[in-house]
Amino acid sequence: MRRWEGGDPGVSNQKTPTTILLTPERKFHSFGYAARDFYHDLDPNEAKQWLYLEKFKMKLHTTGDLTMDTDLTAANGKKVKALEIFAYALQYFKEQALKELSDQAGSEFENSDVRWVITVPAIWKQPAKQFMREAAYQAGLASPENSEQLIIALEPEAASIYCRKLRLHQMIELSSKAAVNGYSGSDTVGAGFTQAKEHIRRNRQSRTFLVENVIGEIWSELEEGDKYVVVDSGGGTVDLTVHQIRLPEGHLKELYKATGGPYGSLGVDYEFEKLLCKIFGEDFIEQFKIKRPAAWVDLMIAFESRKRAAAPDRTNPLNITLPFSFIDYYKKFRGHSVEHALRKSNVDFVKWSSQGMLRMSPDAMNALFKPTIDSIIEHLRDLFQKPEVSTVKFLFLVGGFAEAPLLQQAVQAAFGDKCRIIIPQDVGLTILKGAVLFGLDPAVIKVRRSPLTYGVGVLNRYVEGKHPPEKLLVKDGTRWCTDVFDKFISADQSVALGELVKRSYTPAKPSQLVIVINIYSSEHDDVSFITDPGVKKCGTLRLDLTGTSGTAVPARREIQTLMQFGDTEIKATAVDIATSKSVKVGIDFLNY
């Protein structure tokens, strides 16, 4: 977007906050700054009827048992379906993007002209990815019938693709088309690049996406086999990915399964909230959030712009304006002034300034960052202990939180002697730009690591001495061992793009029209039985055999199932061996 409506003073905004506002009738009203500002200007009694949600993307990460019915709680305490909120947000993005495209191109763009790429953190589990896809279908970005119109990209992978391109962009001799994303000039895309080159020749100063002005001569040093870590630190999560370059095409290979955790910049906001509770009392803060939700949002905005001013070498204090209704409501609630509370509280670093502000010393601000930054450094330390990661040449720090000088300094101090630390210029948009490159060429990442062990429960012939007696099942005179874990793929195993796991399944009765197979997962790779500790049912594989049989039903049907684990999402197809007709198959991690 060229710009989002209504950014904040003092904060440059190429991004829009994850905030959404629904009318009292639960219809979509607005998103981003517009939602926030409108909600603000509502009369407090009226505001209680409206549903305002912020920072809701984290819910998909933190909910262990995500389903289509998972709820989110609005600022006024009312519950709404998460799926509905995500669908509203995506629908809004769709309309904004199509409008912006049409404006810039001077002709109407239809949804069918667009391939959509939605980025998600790599550490998100399969259900969260499927949830995003369902929400996108509901928003009309794509449909189950036309599913390839939507690609799910993993955020640190997108960042990695972009970081790898940074220097190459300048080195692409604009005459050699083949270098660009592996497309040759005969491709339709080639034509687009020819125009772009024309444009560059005419306008040397233009900063198009093809030539990015970037840091020094780093890429000339990257050779085949070089490894690098991408640390993507955003609002909610931090994601770490380790990639290795494979030449000649410069494809990427993932060396270690994506790791990370909920250590985003929201952690800093949470620490600020804890500080306020310490000074003014948790009971007051809880009440204030419910009774004056818009003023609470105001206070967090004021904090956001000061948070961005925090730096390791800062000596002058940071002032945070308290909204009038905070001061007013506190007096009503406690019977004494905010100033009194600050004097009485034993928080040395925070003082009251006569202009009605909280005055925080730089140390106080830095203390709010500490838990989150410590978690990130700790996580990186663990990663660097892994043999696969020991010889890393570069560390790219990307994502919105990477703009924080305190985080930059901490990473530099901890790992500067191990590898070179690089922060791309427009670090907050690295992922977005990488997602565009990924959408043009989704096959650029050739090898990934499975985050979990996946498999199904099967019956095997019972072997005395090998199988535990409690697993014995005798059926028609045959001795079977039950609950055997048939492993499709192990945790942290390398999987190439397009690599297939094949299994054949036979319906129990020839007349059976649906086979439903439970899929189990575990974080360990040494799993023998589906009843082992740590093994959880995580989804279902559903084979729909209606309409595949034709007239004569063979006595024993065999359905061959092919599963792909090397993509950003787990996919499956199936074939009826006897008729070689494809069988409708659904793999579901959300509604099982």
Side-chain angles (χ1 to χ4, degrees):
M1 300 297 289
R2 287 166 294 190
R3 61 181 289 277
W4 289 100
E5 302 101 87
D8 285 337
V11 177
S12 91
N13 278 308
Q14 293 171 304
K15 298 180 113 173
T16 172
T18 313
T19 45
I20 197 166
L21 183 64
L22 309 187
T23 65
E25 296 74 48
R26 298 181 171 244
K27 291 275 166 284
F28 174 80
H29 180 276
S30 46
F31 183 89
Y33 295 109
R36 204 190 62 194
D37 297 344
F38 185 89
Y39 181 59
H40 260 233
D41 300 341
L42 287 169
D43 171 79
N45 288 322
E46 207 187 332
K48 290 192 182 106
Q49 306 309 309
W50 290 66
L51 296 116
Y52 178 77
L53 294 102
E54 57 177 1
K55 303 174 184 172
F56 51 81
K57 215 176 106 179
M58 265 311 268
K59 183 77 177 187
L60 296 198
H61 178 70
T62 51
T63 309
D65 43 359
L66 186 67
T67 68
M68 306 280 266
D69 292 321
T70 297
D71 284 322
L72 296 172
T73 308
N76 62 0
K78 293 198 173 132
K79 297 223 184 298
V80 262
K81 293 271 165 276
L83 192 68
E84 206 174 299
I85 295 295
F86 278 79
Y88 275 144
L90 291 171
Q91 189 178 346
Y92 169 78
F93 294 155
K94 176 180 103 173
E95 287 159 10
Q96 291 287 320
L98 290 174
K99 183 172 166 299
E100 178 85 355
L101 276 172
S102 305
D103 287 354
Q104 287 190 26
S107 59
E108 279 304 304
F109 270 82
E110 300 291 316
N111 187 57
S112 54
D113 301 328
V114 178
R115 166 183 264 175
W116 298 95
V117 182
I118 295 180
T119 67
V120 304
I123 49 176
W124 271 16
K125 307 274 188 290
Q126 195 60 40
K129 296 177 190 170
Q130 189 182 333
F131 184 94
M132 267 303 203
R133 186 168 274 286
E134 298 287 346
Y137 291 162
Q138 228 179 52
L141 268 67
S143 61
E145 299 69 52
N146 195 2
S147 60
E148 39 308 326
Q149 197 184 346
L150 167 69
I151 312 184
I152 299 251
L154 307 179
E155 285 161 9
E157 286 192 356
S160 177
I161 294 166
Y162 179 67
C163 286
R164 192 190 55 125
K165 280 261 184 286
L166 279 174
R167 183 64 199 146
L168 296 177
H169 277 165
Q170 283 182 319
M171 297 196 307
I172 283 175
E173 232 196 271
L174 286 171
S175 57
S176 69
K177 276 206 281 274
V180 182
N181 256 354
Y183 285 116
S184 64
S186 57
D187 283 335
T188 44
V189 176
F193 280 110
T194 318
Q195 286 163 359
K197 287 194 324 216
E198 234 350 281
H199 173 72
I200 291 165
R201 216 175 280 128
R202 280 203 303 274
N203 176 1
R204 276 277 169 230
Q205 283 68 47
S206 84
R207 291 194 57 223
T208 65
F209 196 32
L210 278 173
V211 254
E212 220 37 88
N213 52 1
V214 271
I215 336 144
E217 299 291 313
I218 284 165
W219 292 106
S220 47
E221 298 174 27
L222 265 183
E223 299 134 26
E224 162 136 51
D226 274 355
K227 303 174 185 179
Y228 58 95
V229 178
V230 176
V231 180
D232 165 20
S233 44
T237 50
V238 168
D239 250 354
L240 314 176
T241 316
V242 189
H243 278 156
Q244 185 174 36
I245 294 202
R246 292 172 35 181
L247 295 175
E249 304 85 6
H251 287 139
L252 300 180
K253 167 181 176 186
E254 188 175 21
L255 292 183
Y256 187 71
K257 63 173 189 248
T259 57
Y263 317 128
S265 57
L266 292 182
V268 185
D269 301 356
Y270 178 61
E271 288 298 318
F272 176 60
E273 193 178 318
K274 283 200 331 212
L275 178 71
L276 291 175
C277 287
K278 200 167 152 186
I279 300 171
F280 302 109
E282 204 168 330
D283 52 345
F284 167 72
I285 298 292
E286 283 310 302
Q287 273 307 300
F288 178 69
K289 279 161 102 172
I290 292 162
K291 290 288 195 298
R292 299 280 185 275
W296 171 255
V297 172
D298 231 358
L299 178 56
M300 289 316 274
I301 292 164
F303 174 66
E304 180 67 29
S305 99
R306 300 331 294 143
K307 181 170 96 181
R308 289 167 184 246
D313 44 7
R314 191 184 171 104
T315 51
N316 50 337
L318 295 125
N319 292 325
I320 295 161
T321 312
L322 287 179
F324 171 73
S325 69
F326 185 97
I327 297 170
D328 186 51
Y329 190 68
Y330 185 76
K331 191 148 180 76
K332 285 197 185 107
F333 189 90
R334 284 271 191 262
H336 60 240
S337 69
V338 163
E339 200 178 338
H340 177 83
L342 273 162
R343 273 209 306 274
K344 211 174 82 253
S345 81
N346 45 7
V347 180
D348 326 336
F349 301 123
V350 184
K351 299 277 181 274
W352 172 251
S353 84
S354 52
Q355 297 92 36
M357 297 185 177
L358 278 183
R359 173 167 288 183
M360 291 180 74
S361 72
D363 289 347
M365 181 57 99
N366 298 358
L368 299 181
F369 279 80
K370 193 172 163 22
T372 304
I373 290 180
D374 287 351
S375 299
I376 295 172
I377 298 295
E378 175 108 2
H379 215 98
L380 272 166
R381 279 228 164 83
D382 290 351
L383 186 66
F384 273 96
Q385 299 299 304
K386 305 277 186 291
E388 302 91 331
V389 189
S390 52
T391 53
V392 163
K393 227 183 189 177
F394 298 102
L395 185 154
F396 291 96
L397 200 52
V398 303
F401 196 28
E403 291 167 7
L406 290 164
L407 177 60
Q408 295 176 2
Q409 189 209 32
V411 172
Q412 184 69 46
F415 306 106
D417 54 344
K418 293 193 180 57
C419 55
R420 288 173 58 185
I421 292 163
I422 294 158
I423 300 161
Q425 268 181 336
D426 44 1
V427 58
L429 294 179
T430 314
I431 289 151
L432 186 65
K433 293 183 172 185
V436 173
L437 292 169
F438 183 69
L440 290 170
D441 181 15
V444 56
I445 297 197
K446 287 285 187 256
V447 182
R448 289 189 174 81
R449 300 264 170 165
S450 174
L452 295 168
T453 299
Y454 288 101
V456 293
V458 295
L459 289 174
N460 276 355
R461 287 292 174 97
Y462 189 82
V463 181
E464 284 298 344
K466 178 182 162 197
H467 291 137
E470 65 272 18
K471 298 283 182 200
L472 174 63
L473 169 80
V474 180
K475 199 174 170 212
D476 306 334
T478 311
R479 294 158 64 81
W480 296 100
C481 177
T482 62
D483 297 338
V484 175
F485 186 88
D486 170 28
K487 190 189 296 183
F488 292 160
I489 183 165
S490 295
D492 206 26
Q493 180 183 333
S494 293
V495 218
L497 194 62
E499 192 177 311
L500 297 169
V501 175
K502 294 187 183 148
R503 291 289 186 275
S504 292
Y505 297 109
T506 304
K509 299 192 284 296
S511 59
Q512 192 175 332
L513 294 180
V514 176
I515 306 181
V516 177
I517 298 160
N518 289 333
I519 301 175
Y520 295 88
S521 68
S522 167
E523 293 183 0
H524 310 292
D525 50 8
D526 50 341
V527 183
S528 309
F529 296 99
I530 58 173
T531 51
D532 288 357
V535 178
K536 291 198 279 290
K537 178 179 165 187
C538 67
T540 56
L541 183 68
R542 188 190 153 99
L543 303 173
D544 182 351
L545 308 183
T546 50
T548 49
S549 56
T551 42
V553 179
R556 188 173 178 281
R557 293 176 70 185
E558 189 183 335
I559 311 298
Q560 187 177 60
T561 312
L562 306 171
M563 283 159 294
Q564 268 198 48
F565 292 90
D567 209 335
T568 56
E569 297 170 274
I570 296 175
K571 302 187 171 132
T573 51
V575 175
D576 188 327
I577 297 288
T579 61
S580 35
K581 282 204 181 126
S582 78
V583 173
K584 208 170 144 215
V585 60
I587 189 159
D588 196 337
F589 293 90
L590 208 48
N591 325 299
Y592 54 85

